[in-house]
Structure formats: C-alpha cells, structure tokens
Amino acid sequence: MRVGAFLLSAQFPGQTHGEALDRTVRAAVEAERAGLDSVWLAEHHFVPYGVCPNAATLAALLLGRTRRIGVGTAVSVLSTTHPVALGEQAALLHLTSGGRFTLGVGRGGPWIDLEVFGSGVDAFEQGFPERLDLLLRWLRGSRVGADGPQFSFPEVAVVPRASEPARTPELGTWLGLDDQSGLLRFPRQRKDADGAGDEITAMGRPVAGPPVVVACTSPGGVRLAAERGLPMLLGMHSGDDDKLRMLELYRTAWLAAGRGEEQLRRVTRQHVAAGVAQVDDRTSQARATLLRAMPGWFEYGLGAHRTVDGRERKMRDPHQYTELLCDLHAVGTPKQCADRLLATAERTGIRRFALLAEGSGDREATLHNIARLGSEVLPQLG
C-alpha cells in the first residue's frame, strides 16, 4: 500500500490565496514527516476551488523543501499547456530530485481557460491524444519534431533529457541524516520491488524518465491510457464498482494492444485512486468536520467555473456530494480508515492512493489529520 496526500490548494470561504497555498506547503512537509509515500498537487485557473495555477511549479518548490517523499501532479492540464514546455519541466524535476517526481496529466474541462490561453475548445475535445503523444516522445527521446494539426515544428534536441538516469541521493541524505530541521522520521511504506513507479513498455520493460499517469474519467480516456501503456489516476467520485468497470475496460484495451497479463499485473499496481481521508476518534465527528466545511467550498469553488462556449454545465449538490465522499472513502476512526483502504485494495487490486486531507479547510486541522494518517492508519496497512 502506498498512501499519499492529495493537495488541491483549496481556498475555503473567508481565506486568502496565500493562506490556501501556505496550507499546501506545510501539509506537504508534514506528509513527509508523517511517513506518507507522496503528495499530489492539483492545478486550476480563475476559480477558488484550487488556487495553484501550475502544479509543476509548486512541485518544484516542494521537492526543494523535502528530501524523501514523492511529489506528483494531479494533474497538469495538457489542453492549456504546450507539451514540450511541460516535458522540459518534468525532465528538470526528474533529474534534479533524484527521481522523486511523477507527472500526472489530464485534458481538463471545457473552461474559459481554453480561450484565455489560446488553445481553443478543440484542444479539449479532440486534441488530447496528439498532445499526450508529443509529451511522451519528448520524455523518451533525444530529438523530437512534430507534424500534426496542433503542433508542427522541425526536429530539435531534447534538453535536458529525461531519459538520462536521475541522480540517486546518497544514503545519508535519503535517511535524512543531513537534515537538521527536526526529529528524524523513517519512511513507513515499503516500496514495491517489481518496477514500482515505472511505466511499462510493450516489451514489459521500464521506461526511463519520470513516471507518467493519466487522469481517466471516461471510457475514451481509459482506452487512451491503456494503448500507451500508462497507469490511470481515478477521481474522488469513483467508488469501488466504478473502479472495477474502468479496470475491466483498461484490461480489454491493454490486451487488444498486444500486451500480456504479466505486464498488466505490473501496471495495475501503478494505478492511483484519489479519495478523501479524515481521521477522528469517532466516525460521526470525522463526517461532521467534512460536512461543515466541504459543501461551502464546493459551492464557492466549483460554482465559479465558466465554460468556454457557454455550454450548460450541471453541478452536483454540494452537501450530497460531500456525503457521498464520506461514504466512499477513508472517513472515520483510524481502524475504519485502514479497513476502507484495504477493502478497496483487495477488491480492485489498486494499491496507490492520493487522499484529500484538507477537507476541514483549516491549516492546523489539516496538519493534525495528516499526522494521524501517518501514525495511526498507515501502520494498520501492513
């Protein structure tokens, strides 16, 4: 089991942008101290749902503030970003962090962002495959050119080259022995030995460079990820039944692409499931904490989205959605949280989790929640 914190830099009502970002930075440092496997960073534009506009930039800051924990984007939005620019950032973070960076990508939504950044609605509706393929060629190659409907340029050198081996920190650095900032903590979670974190080629070999995961919310996205041999990032709204349906669709597309069952077993261990974690002495209190804070954030944050072309959009009822998340995820006592994660892992085979830990909206409560997740839930996961 590999459990990480999902940090959206959420601006709850009454908070400033700086307060939301400060909570994210402090939460990432606490996640490392608590022994979590990773932190995952979201990016949004023009809405208080999340005030980080560039997850890779924030990842760079957090990689510099930490020593052992993995840092990933969940996700970097390809519909509004040039794939080469994102590939350069990912290579830079991979090579300078000792391989601690994971690039999560998605196509985003039909938001006004597409007009502001000039990519247009076609980048969202049809352009994601071309953008993803260009990004992957950049991360894997030494020279790349493009001749497609969205991107066309002559072959250029890839600098820095993500396919070079990342520098591995000295053992003392990895153990934190050069860190004078406080009490030494050792990572609690065992890393899988059979290629954990590695993207798998059609021949079943690890791909050099930063691991890449794809946010999948539709059958088309699932097939795209499987055809390219990439693990999925599944959203918070997905229960175990939804996960199983997407995993079966992924399996079908994976085998149709000519890959084998052993390769599928390896990549299944790299899928990431987003969820929620709120730890308390009583289940009722854990739920009450989220039901008190999250509906207002959903209404305030998601309600600010504007579509690029005026298309109608439907928003979930904020209170009902919060209740659904409490029902689906690790919300309750430490034992209940551990049991929920173990049940999902046993039923689906997914063993990596990115858990929203800031649902209280309060900085100190978020740090306390992460500390309890590390000290009281992780030890029960084996």
Side-chain angles (χ1 to χ4, degrees), residues 124 172 179 193:
F124 165 73
D179 183 1

Side-chain angles (χ1 to χ4, degrees), residues 6-13 15-17 20-21 23-24 41-53 74-75 111 235-237 274-276 293-306 313 315-316 318 321-322 325 356 358-359 361:
F6 185 23
L7 304 174
L8 278 77
S9 300
Q11 183 191 14
F12 285 75
Q15 295 177 350
T16 66
H17 299 160
L21 292 167
R23 187 182 63 243
T24 293
L41 309 172
E43 69 179 37
H44 298 87
H45 297 283
F46 321 126
V47 293
Y49 181 70
V51 302
C52 170
V75 293
W111 311 128
M236 291 193 298
H237 61 281
V276 176
M294 290 182 70
W297 165 51
F298 284 140
E299 185 172 9
Y300 172 65
L302 292 176
H305 273 305
R306 290 172 54 195
R313 57 179 293 262
M315 181 175 167
R316 295 174 183 260
Y321 185 42
T322 304
L325 295 177
L356 177 71
E358 60 185 337

Side-chain angles (χ1 to χ4, degrees), residues 46-335:
F46 321 126
V47 293
Y49 181 70
V51 302
C52 170
N54 191 302
T57 298
L58 186 54
L61 172 69
L62 298 182
L63 286 165
R65 293 283 183 93
T66 57
R67 292 294 178 267
R68 298 175 298 278
I69 197 167
V71 179
T73 61
V75 293
S76 296
V77 180
L78 267 178
S79 300
T80 54
T81 304
H82 196 295
V84 170
L86 183 58
E88 289 178 328
Q89 286 181 290
L92 183 66
L93 297 181
H94 171 67
L95 293 170
T96 58
S97 69
R100 290 193 289 134
F101 177 69
T102 296
L103 179 61
V105 295
R107 69 181 190 131
W111 311 128
I112 194 69
D113 315 8
L114 297 164
E115 182 174 345
V116 173
F117 294 108
S119 51
V121 71
D122 285 347
F124 165 73
E125 292 185 333
Q126 288 95 31
F128 186 63
E130 181 187 344
R131 288 169 176 262
L132 178 60
D133 288 342
L134 176 54
L135 172 68
L136 294 176
R137 286 192 290 117
W138 189 268
L139 291 175
R140 294 167 177 167
S142 59
R143 297 187 64 83
V144 173
D147 185 20
Q150 294 179 93
F151 303 100
S152 180
F153 56 85
E155 190 178 84
V156 293
V158 175
V159 180
R161 192 178 306 168
S163 56
E164 288 184 0
R167 187 184 67 84
T168 302
E170 298 293 331
L171 179 61
T173 299
W174 187 85
L175 292 175
L177 299 178
D178 60 349
D179 183 1
Q180 304 301 316
S181 61
L183 181 66
L184 174 65
R185 298 286 187 97
F186 289 85
R188 290 188 176 87
Q189 298 180 79
R190 179 183 62 81
K191 299 290 187 180
D192 296 323
D194 59 343
D198 291 329
E199 178 188 336
I200 306 300
T201 69
M203 301 302 293
R205 297 172 182 165
V207 172
V212 178
V213 299
V214 178
C216 295
T217 59
S218 67
V222 173
R223 285 191 289 269
L224 185 70
E227 289 166 358
R228 284 146 181 83
L230 300 171
M232 298 185 291
L233 171 65
L234 302 178
M236 291 193 298
H237 61 281
S238 299
D240 288 352
D241 289 340
D242 296 320
K243 292 181 178 69
L244 285 169
R245 283 191 288 270
M246 298 184 87
L247 287 166
E248 184 55 35
L249 179 59
Y250 187 95
R251 180 179 186 275
T252 299
W254 179 275
L255 296 176
R259 297 185 173 91
E261 292 282 359
E262 176 60 22
Q263 299 164 41
L264 179 62
R265 184 191 70 81
R266 288 164 61 92
V267 80
T268 296
R269 297 176 73 88
Q270 308 313 316
H271 296 319
V272 183
V276 176
Q278 187 65 36
V279 188
D280 210 302
D281 295 334
R282 293 180 296 167
T283 302
S284 59
Q285 186 56 46
R287 294 176 69 97
T289 296
L290 299 184
L291 287 165
R292 185 166 52 246
M294 290 182 70
W297 165 51
F298 284 140
E299 185 172 9
Y300 172 65
L302 292 176
H305 273 305
R306 290 172 54 195
T307 56
V308 67
D309 51 8
R311 70 180 67 183
E312 182 181 0
R313 57 179 293 262
K314 294 182 179 180
M315 181 175 167
R316 295 174 183 260
D317 177 88
H319 193 276
Q320 291 179 2
Y321 185 42
T322 304
E323 291 221 342
L324 173 66
L325 295 177
C326 290
D327 292 339
L328 292 178
H329 299 302
V331 176
T333 66
K335 185 177 188 309

Side-chain angles (χ1 to χ4, degrees), residues 15 19 22-24 26-27 30 33 278-279 289 357-372:
Q15 295 177 350
E19 287 171 337
D22 176 69
R23 187 182 63 243
T24 293
R26 291 174 182 267
E30 179 60 35
R33 185 178 293 118
Q278 187 65 36
V279 188
T289 296
E358 60 185 337
S360 68
D362 178 80
R363 187 186 74 182
E364 295 307 316
T366 296
L367 301 183
H368 183 63
N369 188 39
I370 290 173
R372 293 195 71 172

